[in-house]
Amino acid sequence: LHPIAEVFLQHGVTTAAFSANPLICAERNFDQGFEGFFEHVQEDAGTILPQAAQWVRENSENRFFLYLHLLDTHTPYKPDPFMKERFCGEAPKGYSERMTYSLLQAHLSGELEDTAKLDEFVDYYSDLYDAEIATLDAKLSSFFATLSAMGLDDRTVIAVTSDHGEEFKEHGMRFHTGQLYEESVRIPLIIRFPGFEPGRIGGVIGESDV
């Protein structure tokens, strides 16, 4: 088996990747098959997407495969002020990300009897997560609008997915480690094919469905 980028490259497709994830790096051989592999460790989409758009401009006449790995919706959450105001109320008294972690750890170890403050902090933290997702969605919308302005709509397949979701104490757990509940494993797979009418497939999608 060969990585998809390598297969594309073998068939004359220009390939590039932009990764903000320190685990998706050349040191771990994730650059295999990419002519350009650009590492932007933990930088946000506002920095990466304009560079990716410029790469597309320079290669728009070629068949290309572009892989973007964005990390904006990972902690620490720093949403756009407009989205933060839209999705989040006032921060609870005494709130901080560090304190939220401490209370969660105490809860998981059975040392926290009164969870009222923890629940309040986690609710706010979850709202920050929603605001961060909305912030990234707006940045991606701008990037896709740039592709449209280049006239690439009728010859570009766009796929959007994620590697995991997040849990905010729905099952007494946190984030995306130590459990396999829907909050973590149910992820989007959105594919846009030029010329195809929008549709939706319910349920779990496997290799045979692709």
Side-chain angles (χ1 to χ4, degrees), residues 12-88:
V13 177
T14 300
T15 60
F18 291 78
S19 174
N21 191 331
L23 299 177
I24 308 301
C25 59
E27 184 178 359
R28 294 170 178 261
N29 299 320
F30 281 100
D31 62 333
Q32 186 174 343
F34 289 107
E35 295 173 285
F37 192 86
F38 307 99
E39 297 180 38
H40 298 268
V41 177
Q42 295 183 327
E43 292 187 36
D44 67 29
T47 299
I48 297 172
L49 291 178
Q51 296 181 40
Q54 181 58 35
W55 184 90
V56 173
R57 288 188 189 94
E58 295 169 358
N59 294 275
S60 60
E61 298 303 316
N62 305 320
R63 292 192 304 157
F64 66 83
F65 171 67
L66 173 64
Y67 173 76
L68 301 174
H69 194 118
L70 305 174
L71 210 64
D72 295 51
T73 53
H74 273 262
T75 56
Y77 303 135
K78 298 178 180 179
D80 175 85
F82 172 79
M83 295 301 182
K84 185 176 180 180
E85 182 178 355
R86 178 182 174 187
F87 285 88
C88 306

Side-chain angles (χ1 to χ4, degrees), residues 39-152:
E39 297 180 38
H40 298 268
V41 177
Q42 295 183 327
E43 292 187 36
D44 67 29
T47 299
I48 297 172
L49 291 178
Q51 296 181 40
Q54 181 58 35
W55 184 90
V56 173
R57 288 188 189 94
E58 295 169 358
N59 294 275
S60 60
E61 298 303 316
N62 305 320
R63 292 192 304 157
F64 66 83
F65 171 67
L66 173 64
Y67 173 76
L68 301 174
H69 194 118
L70 305 174
L71 210 64
D72 295 51
T73 53
H74 273 262
T75 56
Y77 303 135
K78 298 178 180 179
D80 175 85
F82 172 79
M83 295 301 182
K84 185 176 180 180
E85 182 178 355
R86 178 182 174 187
F87 285 88
C88 306
E90 186 175 349
K93 184 177 180 180
Y95 170 83
S96 71
E97 186 176 289
R98 181 183 295 274
M99 180 58 70
T100 305
Y101 282 145
S102 296
L103 291 173
L104 275 167
Q105 189 58 45
H107 167 68
L108 292 174
S109 61
E111 300 172 3
L112 185 68
E113 295 183 5
D114 185 358
T115 64
K117 184 174 287 293
L118 171 61
D119 292 340
E120 188 179 17
F121 282 12
V122 169
D123 285 346
Y124 181 75
Y125 205 39
S126 177
D127 290 341
L128 280 176
Y129 178 61
D130 292 340
E132 189 68 79
I133 291 173
T135 298
L136 179 57
D137 183 65
K139 291 175 182 177
L140 285 171
S141 294
S142 178
F143 176 73
F144 295 145
T146 299
L147 298 185
S148 179
M150 294 182 203
L152 297 175

